[in-house]
Amino acid sequence: MNPRPTRPALVATSHGTSSPAGRRAVLGLVEAVRRRLPDVDVRDAYVDVQEPTPDDVVAELAGPAVVVPLLLAPGFHVRVDVARAASAPGCTAAPTLGPDDRLVGALVRRLLEAGAQDADVVVMASAGSSDPVAQACFEQVARDLSVAIGQVVPLGYVGGTGRPLDDVVADVRAQNADRRVVVSSLLMAPGFFHDRVSRCDVDVVSRPLLDADPADPRLVDLVVDRYATAVAAQGALTGTG
């Protein structure tokens, strides 16, 4: 009898947060991915604040694995933590979640849920990064959202380098005194950065991408596709059924 085919484990690696709501939101996405892939060992891991680390999870596994960053853009943690875990024998790393049209679709959904209207001015808020590749990724998502909603969406940051969100909002307010200012939150889950965004001088702030149960199916699809693409690219599938 031929052995049953095995599929690499999926190590869903997020940043980590001390926010209970943020932790529940991320685990909700991981659980949704687990339901979508019942024949895959799906584990959660964290690059900061929480445990286990992706290194710890990979070390526990008895076979190949794909480390899928539940992060919106490349940066320090992808270059260091994710890359280190994925360097173990039989392991590989998938790309980050952004940029991607499904991510933009989820952002549009959040704006609609927040009550955004055509007359509003939309600004995007990101946690930011000192990494130029990450900054380019955030800027691409802002351009994609601009196309999706039919208006230019300026980007502001609440961390890292780049133009501070407060400055971007001040400029928008000065140029559009009679219009509401709505922030599209390019953040994965509730926590420190979303709290900072919420304190901005704006009329409406959309919820983070994962601030809902169940998780947006677009984001589940995105994680599953990142995993499948990495498996195919590395030839890691050990059987064909």
Side-chain angles (χ1 to χ4, degrees):
M1 179 180 295
N2 293 327
R4 292 184 61 190
T6 60
R7 302 183 70 185
L10 191 163
V11 184
T13 303
S14 62
H15 182 275
T17 177
S18 59
S19 164
R23 293 184 177 192
R24 288 193 298 271
V26 171
L27 286 176
L29 175 61
V30 175
E31 183 56 37
V33 171
R34 190 173 284 125
R35 289 194 297 270
R36 186 76 66 84
L37 299 172
D39 57 341
V40 174
D41 185 0
V42 178
R43 309 281 189 98
D44 57 300
Y46 309 89
V47 295
D48 199 0
V49 183
Q50 294 177 249
E51 293 182 341
T53 68
D55 286 337
D56 293 336
V57 174
V58 166
E60 291 175 358
L61 295 168
V66 175
V67 183
V68 181
L70 304 185
L71 303 170
L72 297 172
F76 173 82
H77 290 300
V78 171
R79 291 197 319 271
V80 177
D81 302 276
V82 170
R84 184 177 58 238
S87 68
C91 295
T92 189
T96 57
L97 302 185
D100 191 277
D101 288 344
R102 286 162 291 191
L103 192 62
V104 174
L107 290 171
V108 171
R109 175 182 176 178
R110 284 285 181 261
L111 285 171
L112 293 174
E113 290 172 347
Q117 303 171 6
D118 290 342
D120 296 335
V121 181
V122 177
V123 175
M124 178 175 285
S126 168
S129 172
S130 59
D131 188 297
V133 177
Q135 291 176 10
C137 180
F138 296 137
E139 290 164 4
Q140 182 62 57
V141 175
R143 287 193 294 270
D144 292 343
L145 182 62
S146 300
V147 172
I149 67 174
Q151 65 169 274
V152 175
V153 178
L155 174 63
Y157 295 99
V158 291
T161 58
R163 192 138 188 263
L165 178 62
D166 286 334
D167 292 353
V168 174
V169 169
D171 283 353
V172 168
R173 284 274 190 212
Q175 297 166 15
N176 303 273
D178 60 340
R179 299 171 68 185
R180 294 197 312 170
V181 178
V182 177
V183 169
S184 174
S185 183
L186 184 61
L187 298 168
M188 284 297 288
F192 174 77
F193 287 112
H194 188 70
D195 290 345
R196 290 185 62 182
V197 172
S198 298
R199 292 194 293 268
C200 253
D201 179 26
V202 296
D203 299 289
V204 177
V205 176
S206 70
R207 294 187 296 164
L209 290 162
L210 293 179
D211 190 19
D213 185 22
D216 190 315
R218 298 175 187 87
L219 299 179
V220 181
D221 289 344
L222 190 47
V223 175
V224 170
D225 282 358
R226 291 290 190 258
Y227 166 80
T229 300
V231 169
Q234 293 295 323
L237 192 62
T238 60
T240 58

